[in-house]
Amino acid sequence: MRLLIDRLERERRLEKEEWMALIGELPEAEYLFAKARAAAKRQYGTAVYARGLIEFTNYCKNNCFYCGIRRDNANVDRYRLDEAEIMDCCKTGYALGFRTFVLQGGEDPYYTDEKLERLVWRIKASYPDCALTLSVGEMSKESYQRLFDAGADRYLLRHETADERHYRRLHPKELSLNARKACLLALQEIGFQTGCGFMVGSPGQTVESLAEDMLFITEFGPQMVGVGPFVPHHDTPFAKHPKGSVERTLYMIGLLRLLKPALLLPATTALGTADANGRERGVLAGANVVMPNLSPIGVRKKYALYDDKICTGEEAAECLAGLRRRMEGIGYALSMERGDPVKE
Ligand code: 5AD
């Protein structure tokens, strides 16, 4: 099995059966993580990049079975931040040193192209030295182009699963893997730094599904990949499903680092929720990004995609200080730089 890991590192691809052999058994995890850390260090040193996350709306027109802010969840206290509130989050974040802002929200029709375009333009005009990442779901290529032209640099849109059958198990019929992939291709063609990603351990996922994710990522060539364990939310159809494996999530992070050494790979909040030291363990498996929350304290708990989400009771500054301490504790340095992808 070490030979397989060595070959992944050398050739940066594997056959489906080979992926399945690794993902099914998680062999030689410490060996994989040591190689993944070394690969991350060659590209980015000991930097772990901080991205300031602004969860600006929890309205969503979609009804994904796993997600706490799905349309049919009547127990969500819905909110949206207005432009002034979002600008305020950026101001706080900039003063704390953040040079990347991530605007994330549900697919909220209130935020039309015009409104989003204006917002992007304003943030980039006020903070030209910052990168702006959008994470607002599926749109037409024309809409994506407008947001790019307004100055947005990056776009996160997890593909959720590259396994057709599994995609249908996770989503209502209005949503399709093909449409999702078309959005990702459009984003890439336009010139966004593009991020895809998936959950580990969501209902119906098999080892083969995860192998499909690796094949998709090999071919697509994203700049960023978000991976976190599935964590159940009590008001969703998947409330009774067990959470995803932290060990397998870490292993996927290690594999991704060897597959694409220059990736920006977050140690996600879901990983930190599933394991008290999840984010440190993520970095030690090859991750190099963390995304502390910049949302106003009053709305934090309302952006609950899953149960027991961490850092919902902390101010932005406390969030950041906690992460800095955690990263230093394992020999890494929290970086506030823009953290653009390196050319390999
Ligand atoms: N558990 C873990 N991750 C989740 N997401 C949504 N719901 C859950 C959940 N219950 C992830 C999805 C989405 C991202 C913003 O959060 O992958 O793309």
Side-chain angles (χ1 to χ4, degrees):
M1 285 301 187
R2 287 197 177 191
L3 290 177
L4 205 49
I5 293 170
D6 293 346
R7 191 148 58 74
L8 167 60
E9 182 177 41
R10 222 172 36 242
E11 295 179 7
R12 299 188 187 171
R13 62 182 323 111
L14 289 177
E15 301 297 326
K16 183 164 167 182
E17 295 68 32
E18 297 172 326
W19 284 121
M20 288 178 68
L22 292 172
I23 297 163
E25 301 290 328
L26 317 182
E28 303 280 2
E30 284 313 318
Y31 182 78
L32 170 65
F33 298 157
K35 285 204 169 254
R37 283 196 296 275
K41 274 192 186 149
R42 281 194 292 275
Q43 307 289 340
Y44 296 102
T46 55
V48 175
Y49 296 100
R51 317 299 200 194
L53 180 64
I54 304 167
E55 297 158 337
F56 71 100
T57 173
N58 71 352
Y59 283 84
C60 192
K61 67 176 178 173
N62 290 332
N63 216 12
C64 307
F65 302 136
Y66 47 85
C67 185
I69 63 168
R70 64 200 302 271
R71 180 182 69 227
D72 283 357
N73 185 1
N75 296 326
V76 180
D77 186 2
R78 304 281 171 177
Y79 74 91
R80 49 175 79 92
L81 303 182
D82 64 23
E83 199 177 288
E85 291 171 310
I86 296 169
M87 292 309 294
D88 234 40
C89 291
C90 294
K91 190 173 176 190
T92 306
Y94 193 87
L96 286 169
F98 286 98
R99 294 297 178 268
T100 292
F101 301 119
V102 181
L103 286 183
Q104 182 170 91
E107 289 192 17
D108 178 0
Y110 169 86
Y111 274 101
T112 55
D113 289 0
E114 290 71 25
K115 288 201 184 79
L116 284 173
E117 193 175 35
R118 217 186 108 93
L119 191 56
V120 167
W121 190 88
R122 257 193 92 179
I123 293 172
K124 290 294 287 194
S126 304
Y127 305 102
D129 53 334
C130 293
L132 182 57
T133 307
L134 297 176
S135 179
V136 290
E138 296 188 3
M139 301 176 120
S140 67
K141 187 166 187 182
E142 292 65 42
S143 301
Y144 287 147
Q145 185 71 56
R146 284 177 67 168
L147 297 173
F148 185 77
D149 293 342
D153 304 278
R154 307 177 182 149
Y155 204 102
L156 303 175
L157 181 68
R158 290 192 180 178
H159 64 283
E160 310 298 354
T161 174
D163 169 347
E164 196 69 68
R165 193 202 90 269
H166 185 216
Y167 197 95
R168 288 194 297 269
R169 174 85 200 275
L170 297 180
H171 300 100
K173 58 181 177 313
E174 315 83 83
L175 296 174
S176 77
L177 180 56
N178 276 339
R180 184 59 59 108
K181 285 181 174 172
C183 286
L184 283 165
L185 274 180
L187 290 163
Q188 191 175 60
E189 278 168 12
I190 288 166
F192 280 101
Q193 294 173 26
T194 304
C196 62
F198 55 90
M199 291 176 285
V200 172
S202 60
Q205 185 177 61
T206 61
V207 169
E208 188 175 357
S209 315
L210 287 166
E212 293 284 359
D213 289 320
M214 297 309 273
L215 294 173
F216 171 67
I217 289 164
T218 307
E219 185 195 3
F220 178 62
Q223 281 70 46
M224 306 167 282
V225 178
V227 184
F230 164 73
V231 180
H233 184 289
H234 62 278
D235 279 326
T236 63
F238 293 159
K240 295 266 141 42
H241 284 267
K243 73 175 200 266
S245 154
V246 168
E247 308 304 323
R248 183 163 279 118
T249 303
L250 296 169
Y251 202 90
M252 298 307 295
I253 289 171
L255 292 175
L256 284 163
R257 175 60 65 202
L258 291 191
L259 176 66
K260 305 269 185 205
L263 272 183
L264 290 151
L265 268 175
T268 57
T269 304
L271 186 56
T273 296
D275 182 303
N277 297 114
R279 286 167 304 173
E280 292 92 317
R281 294 179 72 190
V283 169
L284 292 171
N288 64 340
V289 170
V290 288
M291 300 172 70
N293 204 318
L294 278 181
S295 311
I297 199 104
V299 305
R300 292 272 178 94
K301 286 194 199 321
K302 300 178 188 174
Y303 199 85
L305 309 186
Y306 45 80
D307 289 337
D308 305 318
K309 186 172 162 209
I310 54 168
C311 299
T312 55
E314 292 173 14
E315 292 290 350
E318 298 171 67
C319 238
L320 182 66
L323 269 168
R324 176 167 285 126
R325 212 173 336 98
R326 284 169 182 269
M327 294 304 121
E328 287 171 1
I330 56 169
Y332 284 76
L334 196 68
S335 169
M336 304 303 283
E337 304 298 296
R338 269 179 62 119
D340 287 298
V342 296
K343 298 257 180 301
E344 277 184 76

